[in-house]
């Protein structure tokens, strides 16, 4: 293992299980989390705890981050006490957050000037994939940096694709979020139609899983919807942030993405009702309410 020492910044639903998998794979791990109490679990498992992103990057070969949004990544990478203050030539930075492609490109350019590599490597597969180490990872950046990162990424994920230049991973993640958002809505509508028709939605799901209606969303989220289990998973607030990235990118390109535009007010309605901390699959409850099925 040439890159043995890893710094990990952001121990949320995704970062925390990633940290456990890196420790299990034998890496020396240093962690930083803004809310320090969340470092306790990984510290007990053997990680060193750093006091700032710069401190986390100081004595490691590779720094990974998984925080919420574009301004958060900019702050931990380029801000005061950020990674940039501890960069040494030859270091590799892998950001696994979902953020704006333009921000990933900006960080890539700044780090390159300092002799360091940066990859945007957002993920899909949810907290389940993060725990199991089976995430799908979409990577933007230089081929050499990708090859170097691959052994680490293989600890965290299964389907790992080098898409293209800096920012290409984030563009891919935006594409993923369009498909997932519209599919969650479609599955909720289908299950509501079944129930309102007096047909068992569980049987409908079972039948659809064998045909063109089959999807990972139907399989995993459909099952959770039927159980009425709307715990995140993936918080709706973060999904709404991703749809913002989709619409912002579409606006920059002059693209009319009608489906993405129509799903957003649905998300806003759920958030306004206090559902930002739940999973978007809670949209089923809204459809059932509108159908007088509660
Ligand atoms: P989460 O549970 O809400 O955790 C967010 C993490 O970011 C926390 O550690 C938080 O620190 C940290 N953070 C936020 N703003 C920060 C700032 N300004 N400075 C330092 N740290 C900051 O979120 P998550 O579900 O792990 O998601 C993380 C990223 O992965 C997001 O970009 C999300 O879109 C993406 N993602 C999530 C999923 C999923 O299923 N959960 C799937 C794919 C991709 P505190 O603890 O102090 O708040």
């Amino acid at each position: 293992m040439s890159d043995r020492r890893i710094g990990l910044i952001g121990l949320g639903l995704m970062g925390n299980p990633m940290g456990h998998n890196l420790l299990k794979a034998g890496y020396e791990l240093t962690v930083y989390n803004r809310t320090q109490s969340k470092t306790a679990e990984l510290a007990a498992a053997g990680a060193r705890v750093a006091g700032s992103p710069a401190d986390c990057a100081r004595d490691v070969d590779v720094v990974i981050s998984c925080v919420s949004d574009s301004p958060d990544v900019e702050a931990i990478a380029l801000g005061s006490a950020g990674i940039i203050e501890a960069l040494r030539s030859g270091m590799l930075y892998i950001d696994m957050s979902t953020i704006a492609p333009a921000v990933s490109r900006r960080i890539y350019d700044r780090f390159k000037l300092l002799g360091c590599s940066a990859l945007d490597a957002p993920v899909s597969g949810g907290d389940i994939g993060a725990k199991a180490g089976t995430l799908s990872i979409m990577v933007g950046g230089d081929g050499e940096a990708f090859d170097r990162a691959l052994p680490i990424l293989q600890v965290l994920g299964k389907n790992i694709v080098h898409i293209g230049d800096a920012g290409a991973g984030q563009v891919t993640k935006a594409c993923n979020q369009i498909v997932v958002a519209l599919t969650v809505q479609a599955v909720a509508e289908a299950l509501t139609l079944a129930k309102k028709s007096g047909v068992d939605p569980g049987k409908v799901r079972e039948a659809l899983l064998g045909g063109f209606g089959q999807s990972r969303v139907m399989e995993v989220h459909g099952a959770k919807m039927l159980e009425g289990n709307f715990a995140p998973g993936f918080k709706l607030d973060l999904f709404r942030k991703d749809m913002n990235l989709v619409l912002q990118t579409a606006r920059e390109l002059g693209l009319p993405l009608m489906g993405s535009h129509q799903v957003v007010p649905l998300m806003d309605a759920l958030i306004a009702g206090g559902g930002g901390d739940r999973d978007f699959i809670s949209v089923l409850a809204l459809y059932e309410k509108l159908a007088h099925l509660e």
Side-chain angles (χ1 to χ4, degrees):
M1 237 191 262
S2 49
D3 289 316
R4 275 183 29 257
R5 302 168 305 169
I6 296 180
L8 175 63
I9 298 171
L11 306 178
L13 283 171
M14 300 299 280
N16 192 55
M18 285 178 186
H20 282 287
N21 285 335
L22 290 168
L23 280 174
K24 268 186 237 149
Y27 287 98
E28 271 175 42
L29 192 66
T30 303
V31 295
Y32 167 78
N33 197 70
R34 182 180 55 182
T35 307
Q36 205 186 343
S37 55
K38 291 191 200 164
T39 59
E41 207 186 283
L42 279 164
R48 185 182 87 85
V49 177
S52 69
D55 184 24
C56 192
R58 211 167 309 279
D59 293 316
V60 299
D61 309 301
V62 177
V63 185
I64 299 176
S65 60
C66 191
V67 297
S68 306
D69 201 354
S70 306
D72 309 315
V73 174
E74 282 205 284
I76 59 144
L78 307 177
S80 151
I83 297 166
I84 198 161
E85 291 187 2
L87 273 191
R88 300 173 315 283
S89 180
M91 273 176 69
L92 170 63
Y93 172 47
I94 309 171
D95 177 43
M96 307 192 77
S97 324
T98 303
I99 62 167
V103 173
S104 296
R105 290 186 197 114
R106 194 151 57 236
I107 293 170
Y108 169 90
D109 288 339
R110 289 283 299 277
F111 280 29
K112 187 146 189 152
L113 282 175
L114 297 165
C116 298
S117 311
L119 295 171
D120 46 298
V123 304
S124 176
D127 62 326
I128 299 174
K131 283 177 195 148
T134 57
L135 291 166
S136 180
I137 309 179
M138 25 213 131
V139 188
D142 297 343
E144 244 176 52
F146 175 80
D147 292 343
R148 179 176 166 192
L150 195 56
I152 298 170
L153 297 180
Q154 281 167 336
V155 171
L156 307 174
K158 283 272 176 288
N159 185 34
I160 303 157
V161 183
H162 183 216
I163 312 282
D165 294 341
Q170 296 297 351
V171 172
T172 310
K173 175 70 187 188
C175 298
N176 182 78
Q177 295 308 72
I178 296 173
V179 175
V180 175
L182 299 187
T183 311
V184 166
Q185 184 185 6
V187 169
E189 289 193 3
L191 297 180
T192 305
L193 179 70
K195 198 165 170 184
K196 190 71 180 175
S197 306
V199 172
D200 181 351
K203 292 276 184 212
V204 169
R205 171 180 167 276
E206 196 183 321
L208 266 54
L209 281 177
F212 265 61
Q214 195 276 344
S215 68
R216 186 93 176 119
V217 170
M218 176 63 88
E219 186 189 340
V220 177
H221 288 333
K224 284 176 84 179
M225 283 181 192
L226 291 172
E227 289 164 12
N229 174 6
F230 303 143
F234 182 44
K235 291 174 202 152
L236 178 54
D237 279 335
L238 287 178
F239 208 157
R240 178 65 181 86
K241 174 261 305 181
D242 292 355
M243 293 315 290
N244 230 13
L245 298 173
V246 168
L247 297 184
Q248 182 190 321
T249 308
R251 221 174 3 256
E252 286 162 12
L253 297 169
L255 271 186
L257 299 184
M258 282 78 86
S260 302
H261 272 286
Q262 67 79 30
V263 80
V264 161
L266 197 55
M267 291 181 164
D268 286 342
L270 292 167
I271 291 169
D277 272 341
R278 299 165 96 193
D279 204 292
F280 181 39
I281 61 176
S282 67
V283 70
L284 181 77
L286 177 62
Y287 275 111
E288 290 193 341
K289 188 170 183 184
L290 295 172
H292 304 290
L293 280 168
E294 293 174 299

